Amino acid sequence: MEEYRLHTLPNGIRVVHKQVPHTQIAHWGIMLDIGSRDEQAHQQGLAHFWEHMAFKGTQKRKSYHIINRLETVGGELNAYTTKEKVCFHASLLASHSDKAIELLSDIAFHSIFPEKQIEKERGVILEEMAMYYDSPEDAIQDEFDEVVFQNHQLGRNILGTPESVNSFRREDFQNFISENLDTERIVVSLVSNLPFKKAIKQAEKYLYDLPYRTTTRIRTSPEIYIPQSLKVARGMTQAQVAMGRPSYALMDDKRLPFFMLVNLLGGPGLNSRFNMTLREKYGLVYSIEANYSPYLDTGFLGVFFGTEPKNLDKATSLIYRELRQLREKPLTTTQLHNLKVQLMGQLAMSEEGNQSFMLMMAKSILDTGKVDSLPELFAEIEAVQASQLQDIAQEMFDERQWSTLTFLPEAE
């Protein structure tokens, strides 16, 4: 089975396709290299609002027809916004594949942003903000971005603020798209049983005539990082904690070994060091996770957990102890082997999901211009040495360079 094939349209849009003969489902996505970091201060939340508004009306469809176009054949239509990307995607029976790419191209490039729908969706997004605020474990992750990336677009909440969301009008969406749309920074991704030629034919049918667009947009990098430690009183019973710092960018050679370290500390495996220590050994947390998000010119490392306020100091000291051990002692041959085997298994499992693979292909093409195969990834993992990991731990796990944000229950 082929890994993937790539085709570039005359307008610069790239189409990436992986054929999976045994599947009956087609997973389409249109990913644009536009995200919340591309917003100016008065535009905060606009990319996410645009993602919502794409479903609310195009030049030839009202919102009712958009919603029902794929649902009536059992398909699904969805979208999401990140700091650097906006993505519209759909999944349905491959026999209806043409419907998906036609609809996705319509909502991605032909939305008209009806004023009445903007007013309705404004309320929806304000409710979404309230929902996140009422969920401290979600809210702290957003607010910690602001602690790490002070006064920079990467630190702003993707949802925006009530003030910004209440200010947006139709021309704001049109201007934002005009300022940021670059057809050479758009990838259409497909995983299906369709032959490559048929997949390209379907994509060309709806995207070939889209005019070439470019932008003079320049993404500014975060300035000097200054560690901070903040405590905020919130109406809740548990303390929520975020810890971390800036880290390596997308194309940094240390990205993969650093990802391995973060996976060892707080990845999805129940045998992660943080989980084994804080939950299994001491019973201080229900869950704890460590995340690494690489961006164009920087990266983000975050550790998140909740605990009883009385256990806060002990939990924090145990986390720093784990970091110190990685700084001071290289992994043994057995520990390094187990880390590599576990990560390779996780990566192989993640590729089993065709929808996830479709989204990963689109992001990888946008970010690096290629999609690494599993054998290529495995070879990179196998090449990592214990000394490399210790050097990175000494650079990244110095607790004096970490910031913390703690939500504490309000005093009664």
Side-chain angles (χ1 to χ4, degrees):
M1 183 170 60
E2 65 184 14
E3 289 297 325
Y4 70 94
R5 295 179 70 179
L6 189 63
H7 177 77
T8 303
L9 303 180
N11 53 21
I13 294 176
R14 285 168 288 179
V15 183
V16 59
H17 173 255
K18 178 177 181 178
Q19 185 178 20
V20 181
H22 63 266
T23 186
Q24 297 300 310
I25 305 299
H27 300 281
W28 281 98
I30 296 180
M31 189 173 291
L32 303 95
D33 195 40
I34 304 172
S36 62
R37 74 170 299 176
D38 301 309
E39 298 161 349
Q40 299 175 40
H42 68 281
Q43 295 175 322
Q44 186 180 349
L46 195 53
H48 171 259
F49 205 145
W50 165 32
E51 171 216 315
H52 277 239
M53 287 304 302
F55 294 78
K56 301 305 174 184
T58 68
Q59 294 168 3
K60 64 180 181 181
R61 286 187 174 93
K62 296 185 181 296
S63 59
Y64 172 85
H65 302 106
I66 292 171
I67 291 169
N68 279 280
R69 176 66 170 161
L70 303 186
E71 296 281 346
T72 53
V73 293
E76 297 178 352
L77 177 66
N78 215 329
Y80 63 85
T81 305
T82 69
K83 302 284 186 180
E84 296 183 333
K85 306 285 187 288
V86 171
C87 181
F88 305 98
H89 60 97
S91 301
L92 76 177
L93 280 169
S95 55
H96 297 291
S97 171
D98 187 80
K99 289 184 172 67
I101 185 57
E102 187 274 332
L103 181 63
L104 288 172
S105 62
D106 193 29
I107 66 174
F109 304 114
H110 304 292
S111 292
I112 57 172
F113 309 105
E115 290 287 1
K116 288 185 178 180
Q117 292 288 354
I118 292 174
E119 291 306 317
K120 289 180 183 178
E121 208 59 25
R122 209 187 301 280
V124 172
I125 292 174
L126 292 172
E127 288 298 323
E128 186 178 0
M129 287 182 184
M131 180 182 71
Y132 271 88
Y133 186 84
D134 288 341
S135 176
E137 62 271 25
D138 292 327
I140 198 167
Q141 297 198 26
D142 288 329
E143 294 185 27
F144 189 55
D145 287 344
E146 189 174 343
V147 175
V148 174
F149 298 116
Q150 305 147 26
N151 303 314
H152 186 269
Q153 293 95 322
L154 287 171
R156 296 179 190 151
N157 193 318
I158 288 174
L159 300 180
T161 67
E163 293 75 20
S164 64
V165 167
N166 275 313
S167 73
F168 296 143
R169 298 293 181 266
R170 175 189 287 167
E171 58 269 22
D172 295 308
F173 298 99
Q174 295 168 334
N175 291 340
F176 180 70
I177 294 171
S178 178
E179 292 163 2
N180 289 282
L181 188 66
D182 184 336
T183 48
E184 292 186 352
R185 301 296 300 161
I186 296 171
V187 169
V188 177
S189 183
L190 171 64
V191 174
S192 73
N193 61 7
L194 298 180
F196 180 65
K197 285 186 178 180
K198 186 171 183 179
I200 297 304
K201 187 175 181 180
Q202 288 188 1
E204 286 185 334
K205 184 176 179 182
Y206 303 108
L207 296 164
Y208 192 91
D209 291 335
L210 198 70
Y212 173 81
R213 296 274 294 274
T214 189
T215 177
T216 56
R217 176 192 75 190
I218 298 175
R219 284 174 166 164
T220 58
S221 300
E223 297 179 0
I224 297 172
Y225 165 69
I226 302 173
Q228 296 187 80
S229 182
L230 303 176
K231 294 182 179 180
V232 180
R234 296 285 287 265
M236 56 192 196
T237 58
Q238 191 184 46
Q240 289 288 335
V241 184
M243 310 166 66
R245 57 164 296 165
S247 58
Y248 303 114
L250 266 168
M251 302 305 290
D252 197 299
D253 290 340
K254 298 177 182 177
R255 175 188 169 186
L256 178 62
F258 183 58
F259 178 75
M260 293 172 65
L261 279 177
V262 175
N263 198 60
L264 173 67
L265 284 170
L270 293 178
N271 65 340
S272 72
R273 290 195 174 186
F274 287 159
N275 191 69
M276 293 299 290
T277 301
L278 276 80
R279 174 174 169 148
E280 298 301 326
K281 186 174 182 179
Y282 292 99
L284 300 178
V285 302
Y286 174 71
S287 66
I288 181 168
E289 62 181 86
N291 297 328
Y292 165 45
S293 301
Y295 299 119
L296 173 72
D297 45 10
T298 186
F300 170 83
L301 167 65
V303 177
F304 305 96
F305 66 94
T307 190
E308 291 291 319
K310 65 182 181 181
N311 296 327
L312 190 54
D313 289 342
K314 185 173 183 180
T316 303
S317 68
L318 289 170
I319 288 172
Y320 285 139
R321 188 184 75 181
E322 294 294 338
L323 300 181
R324 188 164 59 251
Q325 287 179 354
L326 287 172
R327 294 200 312 268
E328 296 175 352
K329 292 173 57 179
L331 295 182
T332 66
T333 302
T334 299
Q335 289 172 332
L336 180 60
H337 172 75
N338 291 341
L339 172 59
K340 291 176 178 180
V341 170
Q342 180 170 4
L343 180 56
M344 288 189 287
Q346 290 171 349
L347 290 172
M349 291 277 284
S350 68
E351 288 206 4
E352 284 290 298
N354 288 336
Q355 183 186 70
S356 298
F357 190 82
M358 177 274 293
L359 296 171
M360 182 278 291
M361 281 201 306
K363 185 176 186 300
S364 187
I365 293 293
L366 273 177
D367 287 341
T368 69
K370 62 187 179 71
V371 181
D372 290 327
S373 67
L374 275 180
E376 290 170 330
L377 285 172
F378 289 177
E380 288 185 52
I381 292 169
E382 288 285 14
V384 174
Q385 302 295 316
S387 58
Q388 288 177 269
L389 296 177
Q390 187 179 15
D391 288 345
I392 290 171
Q394 290 170 350
E395 183 178 355
M396 282 289 148
F397 295 160
D398 180 353
E399 59 206 64
R400 296 169 298 180
Q401 292 299 311
W402 279 42
S403 291
T404 60
L405 173 63
T406 307
F407 289 172
L408 292 167
E410 294 174 337
E412 296 183 357

